[in-house]
């Protein structure tokens, strides 16, 4: 599975690419572990992380078991530990110190949809399609739901989980799973423009916005406002902001 997922730092941008275009960038367990390892390896020189899929799809989800492969029953604790690699990957995107930008072409299904939606900003092609297909395969998808629960309104999330229907970019934008839609031919340009704007922002402000977005929803509104007041005062009066 060498090079099935790649990471390259380009200046202050850390670019992660799912690199199995012949398989729709379906991810194996080892790829999910490697994705987590790449995210953990991001150092202080990185100011933005990008995630894309090679070829015509973003990610069609987790790789299914090989046909006919023996599957031994797993106890609940063993199964929970095996699935922790997925929760780790979602958590590392959510808790990344810097903004994470996903660019979606083609299909983003299951794990792929969750990875796109849990990113901070998601730009999708107008031809992109999304799906939470687990119910159609008799799988209860709380792993995917855990990545979406603070991204997508509950009624929309429940509908997409229970019906397991595919839907397009306009619907994904309407429910808040993505940020912006562009013609497929304009995705690279849209990403370049966004990165230029993000990298032009003062570093303390760039990081503080991510910090507030990551933490504020978990506390009540009064505490969130106090948190915003404190961050605003600390960041905007810092010497680092004046040097930017």
């Amino acid at each position: 599975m060498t090079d099935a997922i790649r990471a390259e730092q380009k200046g202050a941008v850390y670019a992660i690419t799912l690199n199995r275009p012949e398989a729709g960038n379906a991810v194996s367990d080892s790829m999910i572990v490697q994705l987590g390892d790449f995210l953990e390896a991001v150092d202080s020189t990185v100011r933005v992380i990008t995630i894309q899929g090679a070829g015509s799809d973003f990610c069609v989800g987790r790789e299914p078991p090989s046909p006919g492969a023996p599957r031994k029953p797993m106890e609940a604790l063993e199964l929970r530990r095996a699935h922790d690699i997925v929760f780790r990957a979602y958590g590392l995107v959510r808790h990344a110190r810097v903004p994470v930008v996903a660019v979606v072409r083609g299909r983003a299904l299951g794990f792929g949809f969750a990875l796109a939606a849990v990113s901070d900003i998601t730009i999708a092609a107008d031809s992109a399609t999304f799906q939470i297909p687990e119910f159609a395969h008799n799988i209860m998808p709380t792993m995917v739901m855990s990545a979406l629960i603070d991204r997508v309104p509950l009624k929309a999330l429940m509908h997409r989980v229970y019906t397991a229907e595919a839907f397009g970019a306009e619907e994904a934008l309407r429910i808040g799973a993505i940020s912006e839609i562009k013609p497929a031919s304009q995705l690279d340009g849209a990403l370049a423009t966004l990165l230029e704007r993000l990298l032009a922002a003062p570093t303390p402000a760039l990081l503080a916005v991510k910090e507030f977005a990551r933490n504020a929803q978990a506390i009540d509104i009064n505490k969130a406002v106090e948190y915003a007041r404190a961050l605003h005062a600390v960041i905007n009066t810092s010497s680092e902001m004046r040097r930017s």
Side-chain angles (χ1 to χ4, degrees):
M1 198 66 72
T2 304
D3 256 7
I5 178 170
R6 302 194 313 260
E8 179 184 3
Q9 186 167 341
K10 306 172 183 178
V13 178
Y14 191 79
I16 296 174
T17 304
L18 306 178
N19 191 37
R20 295 184 69 202
E22 74 288 349
N25 296 313
V27 290
S28 64
D29 285 355
S30 62
M31 287 175 66
I32 296 172
V33 171
Q34 193 171 12
L35 172 61
D37 291 345
F38 282 149
L39 289 165
E40 283 192 334
V42 172
D43 65 28
S44 61
T45 64
V46 171
R47 298 183 66 210
V48 183
I49 298 168
T50 63
I51 303 177
Q52 300 192 62
S56 57
D57 288 308
F58 179 70
C59 173
V60 297
R62 297 179 71 187
E63 184 176 59
S66 302
R71 300 181 66 183
K72 75 179 184 82
M74 299 175 75
E75 292 184 352
L77 182 58
E78 184 182 10
L79 186 63
R80 178 171 174 167
R81 287 170 176 161
H83 288 164
D84 275 347
I85 61 171
V86 176
F87 291 110
R88 172 183 178 240
Y90 296 157
L92 286 167
V93 173
R94 187 188 300 278
H95 296 292
R97 178 178 142 272
V98 300
V100 179
V101 178
V103 180
V104 177
R105 294 174 174 82
R107 295 172 292 175
L109 316 181
F111 178 88
F113 178 35
L115 184 60
V118 79
S119 297
D120 299 300
I121 300 174
T122 306
I123 308 173
D126 53 6
S127 55
T129 57
F130 304 85
Q131 188 180 18
I132 305 172
E134 278 82 348
F135 246 51
H137 304 294
N138 295 324
I139 297 170
M140 196 271 292
T142 49
M143 283 198 293
V144 170
M145 290 177 72
S146 74
L148 299 169
I149 196 66
D150 64 342
R151 301 300 200 254
V152 174
L154 186 58
K155 281 186 176 289
L157 178 57
M158 298 283 278
H159 180 243
R160 290 300 159 196
V161 165
Y162 280 134
T163 64
E165 294 173 348
F167 54 98
E170 290 288 349
E171 172 68 2
L173 180 65
R174 187 186 70 80
I175 66 175
I178 63 174
S179 311
E180 186 178 19
I181 300 172
K182 291 289 185 181
S185 61
Q186 297 179 19
L187 279 181
D188 289 340
L191 175 61
T193 298
L194 176 61
L195 292 178
E196 183 179 358
R197 290 173 179 167
L198 291 174
L199 295 176
T203 298
L206 188 78
L207 302 183
V209 167
K210 176 63 186 276
E211 178 187 337
F212 184 74
R214 182 176 62 233
N215 297 319
Q217 288 186 319
I219 56 182
D220 70 57
I221 185 62
N222 293 324
K223 291 177 181 176
V225 170
E226 290 305 310
Y227 183 19
R229 291 177 69 201
L231 271 180
H232 185 273
V234 169
I235 299 302
N236 284 319
T237 59
S238 72
S239 59
E240 291 183 39
M241 289 288 285
R242 292 194 294 273
R243 288 198 301 268
S244 300

